[in-house]
Amino acid sequence: AMLMYTSCGWFFDELSGIETVQIIKYAGRVIQLAQKLFNESPEPHFLEMLARAKSNIPEHRDGAYIYEKFVKPGMVDLLKVVGHYALSSLFEDYDDHSRIFCYDIDREDHQQRSAGAAKLSLGRVQITSQITRRSAKVIYGVVHLGNHNLTGGVRLYEDEESYQRMLQELGDAFERADYNAVIRLLDQHFAGSTYTLKQLFKDKQRMILDLILENILAEVAAVFQRIYNRHVSLMRFLKDLHTPQPRALFTAAEFVLNAQLGQAFAAPKLDLKRIKTLLGEAAALDIPLDGAELSYVLKQTLAELGEQLRNEPENLALIEHLDNIIGLVRSLPFEVDLAKLQNIYFKLLETVYQQMLEKARQGDEQSQVWIEHFNSLGDKLQVRRVKDG
């Protein structure tokens, strides 16, 4: 209650700004605690007052709407934390004791079944808040039927008989692959306390979505690859005739060539011949390159090669490889950030280069070859050096 009177909450020019929303979150926590303490919620009256405060941004309407949009979804209680735990248990293994933010979760029972892409997770846990020390025994049941079809329920543990009945009924329905019955039974056993992917905390929500999308995008990529392989000769023929490319074929080619270039740029050792072939195909079909993405991937790869050069400065093969890579980079139709590699090169120029230069003056042929290639790399990196001698 004291936090909601923080002074920054009264100095704002927009009701939906981060300062004001934070203050309303403090007030929301007061409402949440008051409801538990007094079994009566001050929320309706609070929202009535908030609705009088209007936002300057039409889409945010007023204070009551801002509360429902930004504050209410962030409210957490023991059941919501267990809901998060249960849903994410379908995608990662938890130990018997886990910590989720400020909550300790001790697993008392856990059963998981799978059939193809479908998964069912059932169990019972003891959850304890490290802040309030409030604790509860909670049971859960969640099912994933593929893609984003993720649903489940949690409720307080009542007795062993009802818990065992839930395990038996849901387990039997899942084994029969009667997924409609699984959903109905979840609604029956966890009425009013069901959760979906939307209720997951954001970090796990993104992680699970990435896992789901990874499989989906792999399927899409395979389809585009087949389309491109089958029809690329037709696309070249149409290009020669100056005939517009069908959008579907053009999209497939754009996806495939950019994806393959991204994979090639991310490889530990760049296959320059393969990369030049892909760049040539893109140019021949007038395929635009995703400069932002490809530049980022190549920047990361060059940074890793730069670290390898820092650790192995006399590795002549690595210097030659970098020399060829930077030569290619200079011909790309987009900019690549070379700052990290340039800085590493400059440090070596001040240290190792001077040592190799001294050896070369004494007639060491290998040092002379190293200096030649090192200088060539420096020219491409546009790093100036003091004239030898």
Side-chain angles (χ1 to χ4, degrees):
M2 292 177 69
L3 285 171
M4 75 180 183
Y5 291 108
T6 303
S7 60
C8 65
W10 306 106
F11 297 91
F12 61 89
D13 53 16
E14 168 48 37
L15 197 62
S16 62
I18 57 173
E19 305 89 349
T20 321
V21 169
Q22 184 60 49
I23 298 302
I24 300 175
K25 285 181 178 179
Y26 293 142
R29 179 59 175 159
V30 173
I31 290 171
Q32 192 178 18
L33 293 173
Q35 187 169 3
K36 293 181 182 299
L37 289 169
F38 310 119
N39 293 322
E40 184 177 348
S41 176
E43 187 179 76
H45 181 54
F46 181 66
L47 289 179
E48 183 181 333
M49 291 189 293
L50 272 185
R52 301 173 195 164
K54 307 302 179 183
S55 170
N56 296 317
I57 302 173
E59 65 187 78
H60 292 156
R61 305 179 193 174
D62 54 44
Y65 181 82
I66 290 168
Y67 177 88
E68 295 288 350
K69 182 176 181 180
F70 297 113
V71 177
K72 199 72 176 286
M75 288 185 174
V76 176
D77 58 19
L78 297 182
L79 289 181
K80 186 169 183 178
V81 176
V82 175
H84 168 89
Y85 170 89
L87 290 171
S88 56
S89 72
L90 291 166
F91 298 90
E92 65 177 290
D93 294 327
Y94 283 107
D95 295 330
D96 288 340
H97 176 79
S98 304
R99 170 70 67 85
I100 297 179
F101 300 117
C102 60
Y103 296 90
D104 286 330
I105 297 181
D106 294 295
R107 186 167 63 189
E108 297 181 351
D109 184 36
H110 177 71
Q111 300 181 22
Q112 188 154 315
R113 308 183 188 191
S114 61
K119 291 181 180 179
L120 176 71
S121 183
L122 307 167
R124 181 180 69 238
V125 298
Q126 184 79 27
I127 180 171
T128 304
S129 168
Q130 285 295 312
I131 296 176
T132 66
R133 304 307 303 168
R134 183 177 174 84
S135 183
K137 185 173 292 190
V138 181
I139 67 172
Y140 62 85
V142 290
V143 64
H144 179 220
L145 300 178
N147 293 341
H148 64 287
N149 298 311
L150 186 64
T151 187
V154 299
R155 66 173 172 82
L156 295 175
Y157 174 82
E158 295 175 353
D159 54 63
E160 191 62 19
E161 181 182 351
S162 62
Y163 174 62
Q164 291 298 328
R165 185 169 62 254
M166 182 271 291
L167 294 178
Q168 186 70 42
E169 292 179 358
L170 280 166
D172 288 348
F174 186 83
E175 290 298 326
R176 298 194 308 270
D178 189 351
Y179 300 133
N180 288 331
V182 171
I183 300 300
R184 286 197 304 271
L185 287 167
L186 285 172
D187 289 337
Q188 291 174 16
H189 286 284
F190 302 99
S193 297
T194 54
Y195 294 84
T196 68
L197 189 56
K198 291 181 179 180
Q199 277 73 50
L200 276 172
F201 299 151
K202 287 297 180 184
D203 57 342
K204 282 294 188 291
Q205 188 183 78
R206 292 191 183 99
M207 182 202 80
I208 291 173
L209 281 173
D210 285 343
L211 289 174
I212 292 170
L213 288 172
E214 184 179 346
N215 293 329
I216 294 173
L217 290 177
E219 293 178 13
V220 172
V223 171
F224 277 145
Q225 185 71 60
R226 287 196 297 272
I227 293 172
Y228 177 72
N229 291 343
R230 183 177 299 178
H231 301 296
V232 63
S233 59
L234 172 61
M235 294 183 69
R236 291 173 182 160
F237 181 71
L238 294 174
K239 179 72 165 50
D240 288 339
L241 294 179
H242 304 288
T243 300
Q245 303 279 359
R247 186 61 192 170
L249 297 183
F250 188 85
T251 299
E254 183 178 9
F255 180 92
V256 168
L257 291 175
N258 276 286
Q260 291 184 353
L261 278 169
Q263 293 168 3
F265 284 153
K269 183 172 176 60
L270 274 66
D271 185 343
L272 297 181
K273 183 177 179 181
R274 169 67 173 157
I275 290 172
K276 289 177 181 178
T277 298
L278 292 170
L279 290 170
E281 290 182 25
L285 296 172
D286 291 333
I287 299 296
L289 299 180
D290 185 352
E293 177 66 22
L294 295 177
S295 174
Y296 176 79
V297 173
L298 195 49
K299 173 187 172 183
Q300 301 303 310
T301 301
L302 289 173
E304 292 174 6
L305 289 172
E307 288 299 330
Q308 186 180 346
L309 180 63
R310 189 203 301 273
N311 297 326
E312 306 172 38
E314 297 185 20
N315 187 332
L316 186 58
L318 176 59
I319 293 174
E320 289 183 271
H321 185 50
L322 277 168
D323 188 25
N324 292 328
I325 292 173
I326 302 305
L328 175 66
V329 167
R330 294 301 184 189
S331 68
L332 293 174
F334 51 83
E335 294 290 329
V336 179
D337 185 356
L338 302 173
K340 184 168 184 177
L341 183 58
Q342 288 169 326
N343 288 335
I344 292 172
Y345 181 92
F346 184 77
K347 289 293 184 183
L348 296 178
L349 192 62
E350 292 182 318
T351 54
V352 178
Y353 180 79
Q354 300 303 320
Q355 299 167 13
M356 299 297 283
L357 191 60
E358 184 62 31
K359 290 180 182 180
R361 285 172 179 160
Q362 295 174 7
D364 186 271
E365 294 182 1
Q366 187 173 354
S367 296
Q368 292 173 356
V369 174
W370 184 93
I371 286 173
E372 180 183 343
H373 287 286
F374 191 77
N375 286 342
S376 176
L377 175 59
D379 290 338
K380 292 184 175 66
L381 286 172
Q382 297 178 344
V383 178
R384 293 185 178 182
R385 63 186 181 280
V386 178
K387 292 295 184 180
D388 301 346

